[in-house]
């Protein structure tokens, strides 16, 4: 579906609906601690994290309608939603979040009361080569959705914006905290955003826009900031699926720099359950970090995959060190205390998650066509498509 133009024939598609008279105050389910949506719009849910989240939501909550809006960009795959395509509480619409008239139509047609905004360009390497695409999709796309909320704010009760831990920028643990084994405490709602690459900057800009609407227009929003996630259905431009694809093809693993950056890797089923928890138990105005405290370096991930493929005896043969990114954050360290207070904890450790992931890719070799992935398997992919 092509993006619609705003202001055609002098009329704005963001026209605000008439707000009905105030109703008597009644104790809502939200005030009781649990939010009860009836119809949820998930943007970008043919992608990796959002598709897994959507599958979890559709299967676990048959009383709620879940509508996916996705333009099916290169990293999305309609097959990701195959497990739920016949469920009665699931709908799919192919289209762009930049089309305000389409978004407003969906809100009206499906009586949407909640927007769960996952859609984004997310690969750091691509942002070095085509950063304007990230501004267009991540910033302008989010702004479009916010204006659609303004036009429908009498019916949309919650707006959940999915962001990334990369908006914090690089952080390091002090020697004293390392010795004591304690984490550096910080408040998510007051932490300064210091992104260091165009992708992270676009996500930070989108967040700032969301927060401005919270202050200026009382947008009932929740923001999430997530760690690295891995597992089934992930397009192979990211580290773990890329290395699985390369090992399956007998190619060495291209490690950026010396492989020293450390990341926390959350298995996608745990991530999906986290986003499920936030939908039903999250509090308006809060920011929730989604991740795990278990950190591992890129080189350690590489060696773990080589071991999982039974190639440890020839480890050096399978590692190829390549030039690093223009800038590569060494570490993101976040606190997930707020999310855990809602009752969520990760259940799948890294080794088990890696085993399940390798098994899924081996059983689903036709999930993507060869021509769809070959460009992603190079050391530094660069995409120019929008």
């Amino acid at each position: 579906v092509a993006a619609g133009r705003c202001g055609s024939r002098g009329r704005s598609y963001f026209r605000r609906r008439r707000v009905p008279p105030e109703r008597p105050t009644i104790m809502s389910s939200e005030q009781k601690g649990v939010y009860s949506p009836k119809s949820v719009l998930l943007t970008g849910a043919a992608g990796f994290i959002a598709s897994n989240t959507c599958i979890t939501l559709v299967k676990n909550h048959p009383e709620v309608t879940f509508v996916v809006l996705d333009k099916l960009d290169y990293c999305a795959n309609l097959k990701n939603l195959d497990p739920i395509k016949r469920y009665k509480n699931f709908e799919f619409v192919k289209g762009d979040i930049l089309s305000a008239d389409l978004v407003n139509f969906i809100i009206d047609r499906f009586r949407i009361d909640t927007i769960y905004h996952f859609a984004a360009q997310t690969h750091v390497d691509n942002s070095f080569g085509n950063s304007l695409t990230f501004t267009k999709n991540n910033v302008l796309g989010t702004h479009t959705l916010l204006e659609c909320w303004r036009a429908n704010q009498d019916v949309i009760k919650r707006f959940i914006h999915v962001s990334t831990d990369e908006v914090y920028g690089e952080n390091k643990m002090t020697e004293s905290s390392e010795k004591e084994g304690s984490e550096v405490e910080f408040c998510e709602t007051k932490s300064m955003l210091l992104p260091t690459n165009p992708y992270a900057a676009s996500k930070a800009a989108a967040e700032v826009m969301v927060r401005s609407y919270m202050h200026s227009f009382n947008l009932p929003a929740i923001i999430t900031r997530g760690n690295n996630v891995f597992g089934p259905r992930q397009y192979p431009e990211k580290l773990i699926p890329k290395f699985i694809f390369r090992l399956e093809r007998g190619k060495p693993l291209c490690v950026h720099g010396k492989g020293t950056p450390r990341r926390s890797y959350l298995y996608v089923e745990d991530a999906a359950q986290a986003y499920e928890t936030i939908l039903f138990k999250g509090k308006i105005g809060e920011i929730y970090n989604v991740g795990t405290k278990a950190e591992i370096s890129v080189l350690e991930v590489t060696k773990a995959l080589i071991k999982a493929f039974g190639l440890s005896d020839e480890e050096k043969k399978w590692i190829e060190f390549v030039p690093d990114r223009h800038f590569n954050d060494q570490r993101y360290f976040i606190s997930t205390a707020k999310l855990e207070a809602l009752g969520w904890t990760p259940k799948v450790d890294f080794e088990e998650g890696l085993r399940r992931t390798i098994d899924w890719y081996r059983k689903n070799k036709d999930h993507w066509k060869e021509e769809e992935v070959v460009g992603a398997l190079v050391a530094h992919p660069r995409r120019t498509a929008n």
Side-chain angles (χ1 to χ4, degrees):
V1 178
R5 293 188 301 160
C6 299
S8 176
R9 298 182 182 178
R11 180 168 65 90
S12 172
Y13 288 108
F14 296 134
R15 184 176 60 189
R16 179 175 175 178
R17 292 179 178 179
R18 182 178 64 83
V19 179
E22 291 187 6
R23 299 174 181 174
T25 302
I26 300 175
M27 183 67 74
S28 66
S29 58
E30 182 176 347
Q31 291 172 311
K32 297 175 183 177
V34 178
Y35 178 59
S36 300
K38 295 181 179 179
S39 187
V40 181
L41 172 62
L42 296 100
T43 67
F48 167 50
I49 298 175
S51 65
N52 281 279
T53 301
C54 188
I55 290 168
T56 296
L57 292 172
V58 169
K59 289 184 175 181
N60 291 350
H61 304 278
E63 76 284 0
V64 182
T65 298
F66 295 96
V67 182
V68 170
L69 173 61
D70 198 300
K71 68 177 183 179
L72 297 179
D73 206 352
Y74 76 94
C75 55
N77 193 331
L78 200 52
K79 292 180 183 177
N80 285 347
L81 296 167
D82 277 354
I84 54 173
K85 65 182 180 181
R86 300 191 185 282
Y87 278 64
K88 293 181 179 179
N89 63 327
F90 168 74
E91 298 283 349
F92 177 83
V93 179
K94 182 181 178 181
D96 197 327
I97 60 172
L98 288 166
S99 176
D101 53 342
L102 174 60
V103 174
N104 283 329
F105 169 79
I106 292 171
I107 291 170
D108 183 63
R109 169 67 178 81
F110 295 102
R111 299 181 180 180
I112 299 297
D113 59 23
T114 305
I115 295 177
Y116 217 141
H117 179 34
F118 285 88
Q121 293 284 334
T122 63
H123 194 44
V124 174
D125 275 328
N126 287 340
S127 76
F128 290 129
N130 188 18
S131 57
L132 286 176
T133 295
F134 285 71
T135 302
K136 176 183 176 183
N137 286 281
N138 298 355
V139 184
L140 184 56
T142 299
H143 197 174
T144 302
L145 290 175
L146 290 170
E147 281 298 300
C148 290
W149 166 78
R150 283 189 71 192
N152 299 276
Q153 61 184 277
D154 55 317
V155 295
I156 299 177
K157 305 304 180 185
R158 186 162 294 203
F159 188 106
I160 306 177
H161 179 70
V162 179
S163 190
T164 170
D165 62 352
E166 292 197 36
V167 299
Y168 291 123
E170 182 179 59
N171 58 45
K172 298 178 180 179
M173 184 177 282
T174 62
E175 290 184 6
S176 60
S177 62
E178 283 182 337
K179 292 178 181 178
E180 296 171 5
S182 63
E183 64 181 72
V184 180
E185 294 184 357
F186 64 96
C187 177
E188 291 88 342
T189 54
K190 297 180 180 179
S191 294
M192 187 177 296
L193 303 186
L194 297 170
T196 59
N197 60 68
Y199 155 62
S202 70
K203 293 296 287 184
E207 271 200 42
V208 171
M209 188 64 70
V210 171
R211 294 176 77 170
S212 75
Y213 273 62
M214 293 167 69
H215 288 285
S216 297
F217 307 113
N218 294 316
L219 172 72
I222 295 171
I223 294 173
T224 73
R225 295 172 181 159
N227 267 158
N228 287 44
V229 178
F230 73 103
R233 303 180 182 88
Q234 186 171 28
Y235 182 73
E237 64 183 356
K238 300 297 177 72
L239 180 69
I240 290 176
K242 173 186 286 189
F243 281 7
I244 292 173
F245 269 68
R246 289 184 68 93
L247 286 170
E248 289 286 351
R249 288 160 173 73
K251 296 181 179 181
L253 308 185
C254 43
V255 177
H256 292 177
K258 296 180 180 179
T260 54
R262 301 185 67 80
R263 300 288 186 266
S264 298
Y265 292 89
L266 181 67
Y267 187 61
V268 71
E269 286 185 10
D270 285 331
Q273 290 166 11
Y275 291 115
E276 178 185 29
T277 299
I278 291 167
L279 173 60
F280 292 97
K281 296 182 180 180
K283 296 180 180 179
I284 289 174
E286 284 289 4
I287 298 175
Y288 295 97
N289 290 324
V290 180
T292 173
K293 296 176 183 177
E295 291 184 305
I296 183 171
S297 72
V298 170
L299 186 57
E300 289 170 328
V301 173
T302 305
K303 292 180 178 180
L305 281 163
I306 292 172
K307 180 180 179 181
F309 273 74
L311 301 171
S312 293
D313 291 342
E314 300 178 299
E315 183 178 270
K316 291 184 178 180
K317 170 186 172 182
W318 293 99
I319 299 177
E320 177 184 357
F321 293 99
V322 300
D324 209 342
R325 291 172 171 171
H326 296 292
F327 181 80
N328 206 343
D329 291 328
Q330 289 298 303
R331 184 175 188 262
Y332 307 115
F333 191 73
I334 62 175
S335 169
T336 57
K338 283 186 182 179
L339 179 56
E340 291 172 9
L342 299 181
W344 173 88
T345 54
K347 298 180 177 64
V348 182
D349 62 29
F350 179 74
E351 290 74 18
E352 174 61 18
L354 204 61
R355 185 193 67 75
R356 294 185 191 182
T357 302
I358 293 171
D359 184 60
W360 186 88
Y361 280 99
R362 284 176 168 170
K363 290 178 178 178
N364 293 273
K365 292 183 177 181
D366 62 345
H367 200 70
W368 288 277
K369 297 177 181 178
E370 184 66 20
E371 59 267 26
E372 294 174 333
V373 302
V374 63
L377 302 182
V378 300
H380 296 281
R382 293 286 189 274
R383 281 191 175 267
T384 58
N386 55 15

